[in-house]
Amino acid sequence: MTQTVLIKNARIVDPASGTDDQGAVLIDNGIIVDIAIGKPISLPEGAEVINAHGLVLAPGLIDMRVFTGEPGKEYRETLQSAGDAAAAGGVTSFVMMPDTTPVVDDGALVDFLIRRAKATAKVNVLPAGAITKSLNGKEMTEYGLLKEAGAVCLTDGRHSIQSSAMLRTAMGYAANFGLTFVHHVSDNDLSGDGVMNEGLFATILGLKGIPREAETIPLARDLQLAALTGVNYHAAQTSCAASVELVAAAKNRNKTVTAGVSINNLALNENDIGRYRTFFKLSTPLRSEDDRQAMIEGLRSGTIDTIHSDHDPQDNEVKRRPFAEASDGAIGLETLLAAALRLVHSGDLALLTVLRAMTSRPADILGLPAGRIAVGAPADLILFDLNYPWHVSEQQIRSRSRNTSFESARLTGKVMRTIVGGATVYTHAD
Amino acid sequence: MTQARASTAANSSASLSGDYPPFNQRHLLSIADLQQHEIIDLLDRAEAMVPISRQERKSHPMLSGKTQINLFFEPSTRTQASFEIAGKRLGALVMNMSIKTSSVSKGETLIDTAATLNAMRPDVIVVRHSAAGAVELLSQKVGCAVINAGDGAHEHPTQALLDALTIRNHKGRISGLTVAICGDIANSRVVRSNLLLLKALNVRTRVIAPRNLLPAGIEHLATEVFIDMREGLKGADVVMMLRLQHERAQGHMIPSVREYYRFYGLDAEKLSFAKPDIIVMHPGPMNRGVEIDPAIADGPASVITDQVEMGIAVRMAVLDALLPARNSEANEL
């Protein structure tokens, strides 16, 4: 068993340090032990040598929002199949949402999931603990015990807590334990029966709209409560220009707030729904092109911190339905990097900016040592070809569910090798 | 009966549908799919169908041997009856299926239902469903023609066609007229189909409603948008009143029926702002005293019963237009 690995002839791109240079990285026992840029590196006896041939070597991606089917809906996704999909997509760690059956609202379940994932999944699975019992929005879970068991953050997943009083209590208590409070912002009354972005396109399709205010009103409340309680607050998903403005204003006053955006809201817009394509029925909904541009600008300015896949496996039974009756959600682990690279190839964002939002920023928000190429950091790394053209084919999807919003999409940039803890867990085969 | 069956369909249909170019649509799902010439073609075909229903023997069995399934997931009396009569007057075998509980609560998905019906080898399925896009989804899963009889708040194409035919009969033309549509614009499929069709025929369209019954972006779909009904009716040639789902609307969409009627109910005083020869239309079923004064609904300007008659003609024309298209496609295969 090789403990020592040398990756040479790589283009090292590390957002945490701002590095973008040719060099080599030495790994020993799952940890990065040396980084050689513009200097020779001594090759230890018996080391495995990986010649990167100029590919980009970056920290493995950390995906802050992934839904799995396990436990409870294994026919949609298991930890193993999600791990395979993640490895193929260059995601070396993902935060698992607590929306499972049973709900991850108890330390014992967190402990079980960590063991289960170690035994079956190729990548690091980081369970999030529920904010409220059974995601009911009413009773707090045991944040201290959840943290001791290994929960990386608190979130009610796709559920949004409606009561301001409940949020204030939960944020205040979470602040005691230094757990990041990740919240999906949605005003359920205002969203009503809405199934897509409110606007002309929804009107033409005869579908009920979800106004942007269903996101911005609870977001404004959350940002004020975060300042009141001092909790580390992360707005799980933002999707519109007005939300970017709110987060920017809050960040001026309060350093403990951050915000994420789904890759779907960066790469797609409401017009992709076309004639009722349910794989584009998402929560948060796809917004207008102006909103998509505003989210890109938010990343550029640093107002928006993270990009996640919002990987949400749903089977045909709940997707092949009339639009309003279909479930929300699309898978995204395998396409996260390539879809994000669209923004690099289009000239919208720098490579370092895009990678930062999927590596060091989520690591910082969650307090993880990963997400960077630094001596002493875990050797969770990816090698990718920035210019490799491919298209998403349903047959090649590793996820157990096939509900991709990038079906048949042409993408540029592909992971060639994924390394988790120094061990190669995925290599691209033509 | 025997006599009707004996007269060969081929001979009798030649006089009616033989004169028209083939209708190059697989289904009738939405007005948005139709070109201007296709709309005019369907209106002309429907015009030719009108006499069949006025003669003593209301039978013209050009569709004999064809099977038509009316699949209604939402209750409807008049539209279902209209499609049934249209099919039967053309000699088709018509079967009505009303699925009162929604497909979801039954446990069978729409696609399961489509696959089951498809195996019965119908020639055409007429579908009404409460969800926008449901009819199109079903059409992708069956091998026969599909007619949209209303899908959620999306479209109701045969309603727009029958409205246009009624207007053309009364006004002698459609192009250049001013048509006002008043009522619950936000939740109406009739409005969407009508705005698309009237725009294709160069009509000046107006929508009239309180702001909370106007959907986002409506100003891009109608020529003009009015909050004030009197302003909206000024100089109008046609007014279409919409049914207010008042049981559902009261309390959140509108405060009360009496307030709604005061500002958006069609009465003689408001109607006096329109052109003297205005015609009044309503897709039915009407709420007398909610959106329309009974005296207007039954008065000289009302063409509401004409709409019902034209509805049968339009549906006969659509059935006739779609079914030969299916035949020629089958022959090519």
Side-chain angles (χ1 to χ4, degrees):
Chain A
M1 187 169 107
T2 309
Q3 294 286 319
T4 311
V5 182
L6 177 73
I7 305 169
K8 63 174 190 179
N9 296 330
R11 176 183 167 190
I12 299 175
V13 179
D14 176 48
S17 59
T19 304
D20 185 351
D21 219 332
Q22 301 297 315
V25 167
L26 187 65
I27 301 164
D28 186 48
N29 208 17
I31 302 291
I32 296 169
V33 293
D34 198 6
I35 300 158
I37 291 172
K39 64 166 185 174
I41 195 161
S42 61
L43 181 65
E45 197 75 12
E48 178 192 352
V49 176
I50 297 168
N51 189 336
H53 297 291
L55 293 177
V56 174
L57 177 66
L61 308 185
I62 300 171
D63 188 337
M64 284 189 68
R65 190 174 172 87
V66 170
F67 295 89
T68 69
E70 185 177 357
K73 290 201 166 63
E74 284 80 0
Y75 60 93
R76 288 186 182 165
E77 193 84 289
T78 60
L79 295 175
Q80 182 172 8
S81 65
D84 289 351
V91 174
T92 54
S93 301
F94 66 77
V95 179
M96 180 192 148
M97 293 295 104
D99 313 42
T100 48
T101 313
V103 169
V104 187
D105 58 4
D106 188 292
L109 205 50
V110 173
D111 183 67
F112 164 77
L113 284 168
I114 290 171
R115 288 165 196 271
R116 176 81 180 149
K118 278 210 174 101
T120 62
K122 288 176 177 170
V123 306
N124 304 308
V125 177
L126 313 173
I131 297 169
T132 61
K133 286 178 185 166
S134 310
L135 310 172
N136 66 10
K138 295 190 174 94
E139 299 161 88
M140 276 196 291
T141 59
E142 299 157 326
Y143 300 164
L145 296 177
L146 284 167
K147 186 181 183 184
E148 280 187 0
V152 291
C153 63
L154 295 170
T155 182
D156 267 3
R158 59 170 73 84
H159 295 257
S160 190
I161 297 167
Q162 301 296 298
S163 159
S164 302
M166 180 70 226
L167 279 166
R168 181 191 181 174
T169 305
M171 284 187 196
Y173 191 64
N176 291 325
F177 298 99
L179 275 170
T180 303
F181 194 98
V182 181
H183 195 217
H184 176 66
V185 282
S186 167
D187 183 319
N188 293 348
D189 282 339
L190 206 45
S191 299
D193 300 330
V195 293
M196 68 173 288
N197 184 43
E198 182 173 286
L200 173 61
F201 198 48
T203 296
I204 289 171
L205 290 175
L207 294 173
K208 287 229 162 66
I210 301 173
R212 292 165 182 82
E213 287 73 12
E215 172 176 310
T216 57
I217 291 171
L219 178 61
R221 172 203 59 197
D222 280 16
L223 293 168
Q224 291 175 53
L225 291 176
L228 180 68
T229 57
V231 75
N232 292 321
Y233 175 85
H234 181 71
Q237 306 213 94
T238 49
S239 69
C240 59
S243 290
V244 177
E245 286 171 24
L246 283 169
V247 173
K251 280 187 167 185
N252 281 335
R253 299 188 299 268
N254 180 5
K255 298 299 165 205
T256 67
V257 298
T258 53
V261 59
S262 160
I263 186 63
N264 297 314
N265 290 101
L266 288 170
L268 308 168
N269 68 26
E270 60 183 346
N271 297 309
D272 287 298
I273 291 167
R275 294 188 78 150
Y276 307 101
R277 295 161 75 194
T278 59
F279 287 5
F280 297 86
K281 187 186 182 208
L282 305 169
S283 170
T284 312
L286 295 174
R287 300 284 186 191
S288 69
E289 176 61 12
D290 286 348
D291 288 310
R292 189 184 79 87
Q293 293 292 341
M295 298 318 295
I296 292 171
E297 180 54 37
L299 277 165
R300 196 184 294 129
S301 68
T303 302
I304 302 301
D305 298 272
T306 61
I307 304 171
H308 59 261
S309 69
D310 198 22
H311 181 82
D312 193 355
Q314 300 286 341
D315 55 287
N316 278 348
E317 188 68 15
V318 295
K319 271 297 187 186
R320 304 275 185 206
R321 288 176 179 242
F323 197 86
E325 296 174 3
S327 293
D328 296 331
I331 58 169
L333 279 165
E334 288 174 69
T335 46
L336 173 61
L337 176 67
L341 289 176
R342 271 189 179 175
L343 304 172
V344 176
H345 293 299
S346 64
D348 286 312
L349 293 172
L351 179 60
L352 275 168
T353 306
V354 166
L355 288 178
R356 180 179 296 117
M358 298 186 287
T359 58
S360 60
R361 282 308 289 145
D364 293 343
I365 289 165
L366 298 169
L368 304 174
R372 66 206 76 231
I373 299 179
V375 172
D380 295 347
L381 299 164
I382 53 173
L383 278 169
F384 67 89
D385 182 341
L386 193 54
N387 298 308
Y388 186 92
W390 60 295
H391 76 275
V392 182
S393 94
E394 203 191 297
Q395 288 76 34
Q396 286 169 6
I397 290 172
R398 286 165 183 79
S399 201
R400 280 202 179 176
S401 296
R402 305 286 165 91
N403 54 314
T404 172
S405 45
F406 292 94
E407 190 176 357
S408 305
R410 292 177 184 282
L411 298 169
T412 305
K414 182 92 184 66
V415 174
M416 294 292 146
R417 183 189 287 259
T418 303
I419 297 167
V420 176
T424 295
V425 295
Y426 170 81
T427 49
H428 173 72
D430 273 302
Chain B
M1 276 308 286
T2 33
Q3 221 174 348
R5 215 175 286 153
S7 74
T8 61
N11 285 343
S12 44
S13 66
S15 59
L16 268 163
S17 63
D19 302 336
Y20 302 100
F23 187 70
N24 287 318
Q25 295 276 349
R26 186 184 160 90
H27 310 295
L28 181 64
L29 300 176
S30 72
I31 295 295
D33 295 333
L34 300 181
Q35 306 282 321
Q36 185 195 51
H37 70 86
E38 290 172 313
I39 293 169
I40 292 170
D41 173 44
L42 284 175
L43 295 178
D44 291 344
R45 286 169 183 258
E47 188 72 59
M49 292 290 183
V50 173
I52 296 175
S53 297
R54 289 180 178 170
Q55 65 204 22
E56 195 178 346
R57 180 174 290 281
K58 298 175 181 58
S59 174
H60 199 87
M62 54 221 270
L63 299 186
S64 76
K66 306 280 188 187
T67 305
Q68 172 189 340
I69 299 179
N70 293 337
L71 178 62
F72 278 63
F73 291 91
E74 239 184 20
S76 153
T77 311
R78 51 182 60 220
T79 305
Q80 186 169 329
S82 182
F83 270 109
E84 182 176 355
I85 288 172
K88 284 181 171 165
R89 286 190 180 156
L90 294 181
L93 179 75
V94 184
M95 191 193 74
N96 288 315
M97 276 185 72
S98 297
I99 301 182
K100 293 212 173 60
T101 50
S102 81
S103 56
V104 180
S105 63
K106 267 187 83 181
E108 185 180 72
T109 66
L110 181 65
I111 289 175
D112 291 334
T113 308
T116 305
L117 292 182
N118 194 46
M120 297 175 186
R121 299 195 170 274
D123 297 284
V124 59
I125 306 180
V126 178
V127 189
R128 168 168 290 187
H129 197 285
S130 58
V135 180
E136 177 159 346
L137 178 65
L138 186 137
S139 76
Q140 293 160 4
K141 307 294 170 185
V142 296
C144 65
V146 172
I147 298 172
N148 183 0
D151 62 326
H154 177 226
E155 281 224 39
H156 191 357
T158 56
Q159 178 72 43
L161 288 164
L162 76 87
D163 288 342
L165 186 59
T166 307
I167 294 170
R168 196 170 76 172
N169 287 347
H170 282 271
K171 297 287 177 188
R173 63 183 175 121
I174 299 176
S175 181
L177 295 176
T178 298
V179 176
I181 310 177
C182 179
D184 183 1
I185 308 294
N187 297 297
S188 171
R189 53 187 167 226
V190 175
V191 167
R192 285 165 177 78
S193 287
N194 260 307
L195 288 176
L196 288 163
L197 186 148
L198 295 171
K199 185 179 184 185
L201 299 184
N202 306 313
V203 169
R204 188 169 185 86
T205 56
R206 296 171 171 181
V207 293
I208 307 168
R211 277 184 210 285
N212 48 336
L213 295 181
L214 289 170
I218 189 68
E219 65 279 9
H220 299 287
L221 303 177
T223 317
E224 292 170 287
V225 180
F226 291 89
I227 307 300
D228 185 313
M229 193 171 179
R230 292 175 184 84
E231 288 294 318
L233 287 177
K234 267 182 197 164
D237 297 287
V238 177
V239 58
M240 295 181 182
M241 297 305 298
L242 298 174
R243 176 181 169 79
L244 182 76
Q245 302 278 344
H246 60 97
E247 312 86 354
R248 215 179 35 166
Q250 196 156 334
H252 14 237
M253 284 150 61
I254 56 153
S256 69
V257 165
R258 69 173 189 177
E259 174 145 318
Y260 183 79
Y261 182 73
R262 173 70 169 266
F263 293 96
Y264 297 97
L266 187 65
D267 55 21
E269 188 270 326
K270 295 193 193 85
L271 197 58
S272 69
F273 285 79
K275 281 191 184 161
D277 63 345
I278 188 165
I279 56 171
V280 175
M281 302 173 73
H282 194 299
M286 260 184 293
N287 296 304
R288 287 184 164 84
V290 176
E291 68 256 356
I292 191 164
D293 182 340
I296 301 295
D298 305 323
S302 170
V303 297
I304 294 168
T305 52
D306 292 1
Q307 287 176 271
V308 178
E309 184 185 4
M310 292 309 118
I312 290 169
V314 158
R315 285 159 187 141
M316 289 165 80
V318 169
L319 287 167
D320 174 49
L322 286 176
L323 292 184
R326 298 294 305 158
N327 280 345
S328 60
E329 197 170 292
N331 291 340
E332 281 165 26
L333 286 174

